[in-house]
Amino acid sequence: MRIPCPFCGLRDSSEFVTIGEASMSRPPADAPEAQIFDYVYLRDNPAGVNQELWYHAQGCRSWLKVARDTRTHEIESAVLARGGAQ
Amino acid sequence: MRYSIFSLARNALGGHKGWTPTWRDAEPKQAYDILIIGGGGHGLATAYYLAKEHGLTNVAVLEKSWIGSGNVGRNTTIVRSNYMLPENIRFYEWSMKLWEGLEQDFNYNAMVSQRGVLNLYHSDGQRDAFARRGNAMRLSGVDAELLDREQVRRMLPFLNFDDARFPIQGGLLQRRGGTVRHDAVAWGYARGASDRGVDIVQNCEVKGFVVENGRVAGVETSRGKIHAKKIGIAVAGNSSRVAAMAGLRLPIESHVLQAFVSEGLKPLIPNVITFGAGHFYISQSDKGGLVFGGDLDGYKSYAQRGNLPVVQDVCEGGMAIMPMIGRLRLLRGWGGIMDMTMDGSPIIDKTPIEGLYLNAGWCYGGFKATPAAGWCFAHLIARDEPFPAASAFRLDRFARGAILDEKGQGAQPNLH
Ligand SMILES: Cc1cc2nc3c(=O)[nH]c(=O)nc-3n(C[C@H](O)[C@H](O)[C@H](O)COP(=O)(O)OP(=O)(O)OC[C@H]3O[C@@H](n4cnc5c(N)ncnc54)[C@H](O)[C@@H]3O)c2cc1C
Ligand SMILES: [Zn+2]
């Protein structure tokens, strides 16, 4: 599996780490507990193309938003997470 | 047919023409009292104990492929109860006790082999952590022995004790741990359930639930609609997908775990050995192949195959503790899909939908759980109350803050 980093080009996935689904967004600090529980613990875990956050730890150290198919490991796109669409 | 020395002799005299199929490949009926989704180890064990312990036999196991095609046929067959948290110890020790009597119980040779599981330690800090775990086990009545370097050397003289970075200082040994022939576990439970009247239905994929007034009433499958009063989900790596059909979101991510087997060798490795400074564990199958594996690939997957960096990482771990395996050829490598929970511990519970029960989140350690998971899930479905050994494996523990995080990693499934 190789990830097309916008800075570094096509790089082996072992240079990256992922923290999972990019659809998660941290609720405000005063959000109700149920909403925080949802953010911390529940996942869609879809079979198919999904948006994930990957960190190029052994490269440019950018956070990327990667569209990847969990059934085939095929990667459709990778863009910078910051400034990219939420 | 009951298997015994006499049935073997009788069939040998008859030229082995009298054997009947081990279990019945059933056609689905239109309705059952209970449906179990997933014909892996857990689903089949659940059906077996429903029939045997609770007398419930109007039951079907629905499997989308063939039974044993999932993780029960892909794991590295290790069984052990060397946990630290009391809730996990009591459950896995109950499972170990069931393993110890399983072959007599279901009259099938599952090759239960208590050859011992040895976790190596490589630093003072790790020794202290292992001593603590061993003490926690012994306080709960589970066997554990802390070995020093010389004791390990006497057992396994071929290990690389003086690796420059990770010298072997000793190990934590559970002698009652070991390996079990995984396919035989699926077949033995299938046979025991089938003989008691349970229908095992293959090539039957569940595609949706029929829910009426907040209660399950049946499932839509690739072989038509099937009605049932109670439904248990036991689909391992596919838990999120199946639960989503009932509108549930789970505290689970699906990840791929790989394993490998070498060409066959004469007896070499007498027990299960794990490397404490990296991700590598190994045992030898009765056919002679070395069976080994390591860490998750680390990203979500439903592909049942992994990538090369983990292959390299596992082999490096192997070379660090037993350089002698460097010239072996690999026969096969494969992957299975793990339902990794947010705290690394499993779920056996009711769901918010009445009549729908969930057995999920077994991470990479659910094979050893098979007998107890089946036992406890059957108890929950039959009586609508948890079996004590599994009463902590609640679905709502995350919301309550009562997580069971054996490793202390937090809500990051690929780190458990
Ligand atoms: C490489 C590897 C090594 C492992 N090593 C160990 C080990 O050494 N020790 C240990 O304790 N554990 C180990 N495990 C984990 C263990 O194998 C699993 O936790 C356990 O097998 C899961 O339970 P199961 O047997 O019921 O799963 P499975 O056998 O996967 O059963 C689930 C079944 O559900 C079916 N299914 C899925 N969706 C549907 C649907 N919609 N309709 C109908 N059926 C469906 C699947 O086809 C599958 O047959 C390992 C796993 C892997 C992959
Ligand atoms: Zn980069």
Side-chain angles (χ1 to χ4, degrees):
Chain A
M1 207 161 70
R2 285 188 290 174
I3 297 177
C5 175
F7 277 132
C8 314
L10 204 56
R11 304 296 304 172
D12 194 277
S13 65
S14 57
E15 293 180 2
F16 298 77
V17 289
T18 174
I19 58 159
E21 290 164 22
S23 53
M24 306 182 292
S25 69
R26 187 197 294 270
D30 57 354
E33 221 167 82
Q35 211 177 320
I36 295 188
F37 158 69
D38 206 290
Y39 164 72
V40 176
Y41 290 114
L42 297 187
R43 298 292 179 266
D44 291 332
N45 197 19
V49 179
N50 80 138
Q51 303 285 334
E52 296 169 348
L53 290 173
W54 288 73
Y55 177 58
H56 199 179
Q58 291 168 51
C60 61
R61 302 195 187 169
S62 307
W63 279 97
L64 306 181
K65 202 162 122 182
V66 177
R68 198 178 63 91
D69 193 326
T70 54
R71 292 165 308 183
T72 60
H73 302 164
E74 211 169 322
I75 291 169
E76 285 190 351
S77 65
V79 297
L80 289 180
R82 197 197 325 212
Q86 272 270 307
Chain B
M1 181 195 297
R2 220 192 125 70
Y3 296 150
S4 68
I5 184 80
F6 304 108
S7 71
L8 185 64
R10 208 169 42 244
N11 277 286
L13 291 174
H16 291 296
K17 291 192 183 116
W19 297 110
T20 51
T22 308
W23 49 274
R24 202 166 36 85
D25 190 16
E27 290 296 312
K29 292 190 288 188
Q30 285 192 342
Y32 293 89
D33 290 338
I34 301 172
L35 291 176
I36 303 297
I37 308 174
H42 290 213
L44 294 166
T46 304
Y48 172 78
Y49 292 118
L50 278 171
K52 178 158 182 285
E53 300 300 323
H54 304 279
L56 299 168
T57 55
N58 188 17
V59 174
V61 176
L62 308 181
E63 165 55 46
K64 74 171 171 187
S65 179
W66 71 89
I67 63 163
S69 59
N71 293 333
V72 72
R74 291 166 186 267
N75 65 74
T76 43
T77 80
I78 296 164
V79 304
R80 56 186 172 86
S81 54
N82 55 358
Y83 282 76
M84 197 168 78
L85 298 178
E87 296 86 349
N88 281 332
I89 295 184
R90 75 177 176 199
F91 174 83
Y92 287 103
E93 179 57 15
W94 171 238
S95 207
M96 187 59 86
K97 295 228 163 73
L98 290 172
W99 283 122
E100 286 172 331
L102 183 67
E103 295 168 298
Q104 287 69 31
D105 187 69
F106 69 14
N107 180 232
Y108 200 80
N109 182 5
M111 297 160 100
V112 176
S113 163
Q114 293 180 288
R115 56 183 71 184
V117 173
L118 180 71
N119 304 131
L120 298 173
Y121 60 79
H122 308 267
S123 67
D124 292 354
Q126 196 169 31
R127 179 202 54 217
D128 293 351
F130 280 17
R132 179 171 174 232
R133 176 141 57 100
N135 288 338
M137 290 163 65
R138 291 168 70 126
L139 281 172
S140 301
V142 181
D143 69 306
E145 288 164 55
L146 195 67
L147 306 185
D148 64 22
R149 186 180 158 96
E150 289 317 308
Q151 287 169 300
V152 174
R153 200 194 289 277
R154 276 199 291 282
M155 267 175 75
L156 306 167
F158 53 79
L159 292 178
N160 177 17
F161 285 85
D162 297 309
D163 182 89
R165 271 177 86 190
F166 307 117
I168 293 168
Q169 294 195 5
L172 183 66
L173 176 65
Q174 185 183 21
R175 287 190 198 273
R176 285 165 61 246
T179 58
V180 183
R181 170 87 203 280
H182 52 359
D183 299 313
V185 173
W187 299 328
Y189 277 124
R191 171 170 172 267
S194 177
D195 281 355
R196 287 173 175 80
V198 171
D199 278 357
I200 294 168
V201 184
Q202 301 186 106
N203 301 311
C204 183
E205 179 173 359
V206 169
K207 303 199 154 199
F209 289 93
V210 184
V211 178
E212 287 164 4
N213 305 321
R215 243 206 100 82
V216 284
V219 289
E220 309 279 359
T221 79
S222 54
R223 299 178 70 173
K225 193 189 261 191
I226 305 175
H227 296 277
K229 297 183 196 104
K230 292 181 171 183
I231 300 174
I233 302 174
V235 294
N238 287 292
S239 302
S240 297
R241 289 169 88 175
V242 173
M245 296 173 193
L248 303 173
R249 274 175 95 213
L250 300 180
I252 286 177
E253 280 185 4
S254 295
H255 284 260
V256 58
L257 180 69
Q258 304 189 60
F260 312 90
V261 64
S262 77
E263 58 189 322
L265 300 173
K266 288 184 178 175
L268 176 70
I269 297 186
N271 54 8
V272 179
I273 307 168
T274 72
F275 179 37
H279 296 281
F280 176 79
Y281 63 92
I282 189 164
S283 67
Q284 186 166 18
S285 83
D286 293 313
K287 275 196 293 189
L290 303 189
V291 181
F292 57 97
D295 204 7
L296 296 173
D297 271 40
Y299 46 83
K300 291 190 304 175
S301 174
Y302 286 102
Q304 294 198 121
R305 62 169 185 274
N307 271 290
L308 289 171
V310 164
V311 182
Q312 184 174 359
D313 186 60
V314 168
C315 292
E316 282 170 357
M319 289 302 288
I321 55 166
M322 23 180 107
M324 66 174 179
I325 62 175
R327 285 161 61 205
L328 276 182
R329 274 162 298 195
L330 273 188
L331 212 60
R332 283 194 305 278
W334 64 91
I337 302 307
M338 316 283 83
D339 39 349
M340 300 300 298
T341 55
M342 290 290 165
D343 62 359
S345 294
I347 296 159
I348 302 180
D349 203 356
K350 300 178 189 178
T351 69
I353 298 166
E354 214 175 319
L356 184 63
Y357 304 82
L358 180 68
N359 170 319
W362 292 95
C363 302
Y364 40 75
F367 176 67
K368 67 174 113 65
T370 305
W375 180 284
C376 297
F377 200 38
H379 188 278
L380 177 72
I381 294 171
R383 309 220 183 150
D384 271 311
E385 58 187 45
F387 188 73
S391 60
F393 298 158
R394 298 275 302 274
L395 179 56
D396 69 358
R397 69 173 181 269
F398 302 93
R400 286 185 294 115
I403 53 167
L404 298 169
D405 192 341
E406 188 84 22
K407 263 176 138 185
Q409 294 281 26
Q412 192 58 50
N414 57 357
L415 299 182
H416 283 291

